[in-house]
Amino acid sequence: MRFLSTVFWALVAVVIALFSYRNWNDVTLNLWGDIQAEVKIPVLTFIMFLLAFLPTWIIMRARIWAQRRRLEAIERQHASATPPHIVTAEDGEPVI
């Protein structure tokens, strides 16, 4: 299974490299006012990917952090609870 994952990511890397090679052209971005920026298409694509990916990643990390805090609180509560007292008969057998 690990092999298939490696093959998949290698194919993704090859596709990205081919896209970058074939589209290494300048694009003019009209920013605010008379300001313009010349950017290569692959660089622009990478920046747009990061702008879309980072908020989702930050939300995911925040949820994982909150879940870990809840789990640690439950574990601390469980660890501090005293075990139930088992009443035994005189011969050492538990009484139900």
Side-chain angles (χ1 to χ4, degrees):
M1 194 66 183
R2 185 78 174 150
F3 173 74
L4 292 176
S5 175
T6 303
V7 169
F8 171 75
W9 287 113
L11 287 174
V12 169
V14 168
V15 168
I16 290 172
L18 286 173
F19 173 80
S20 298
Y21 177 73
R22 303 284 282 163
N23 292 299
W24 198 253
N25 302 323
D26 287 333
V27 175
T28 302
L29 295 177
N30 293 321
L31 303 173
W32 53 93
D34 293 336
I35 300 174
Q36 294 182 339
E38 295 278 332
V39 181
K40 302 286 186 188
I41 292 176
V43 174
L44 180 63
T45 305
F46 181 70
I47 290 170
M48 292 299 113
F49 172 78
L50 285 181
L51 285 176
F53 176 74
L54 284 178
T56 306
W57 184 76
I58 290 170
I59 290 169
M60 179 198 68
R61 296 302 303 171
R63 287 186 179 169
I64 289 173
W65 176 73
Q67 288 291 341
R68 283 186 181 159
R69 287 189 56 204
R70 285 189 205 139
L71 183 61
E72 288 172 359
I74 291 170
E75 287 176 348
R76 280 194 305 269
Q77 184 181 25
H78 183 68
S80 66
T82 58
H85 180 68
I86 299 175
V87 179
T88 59
E90 292 178 14
D91 60 354
E93 294 293 320
V95 176
I96 300 178

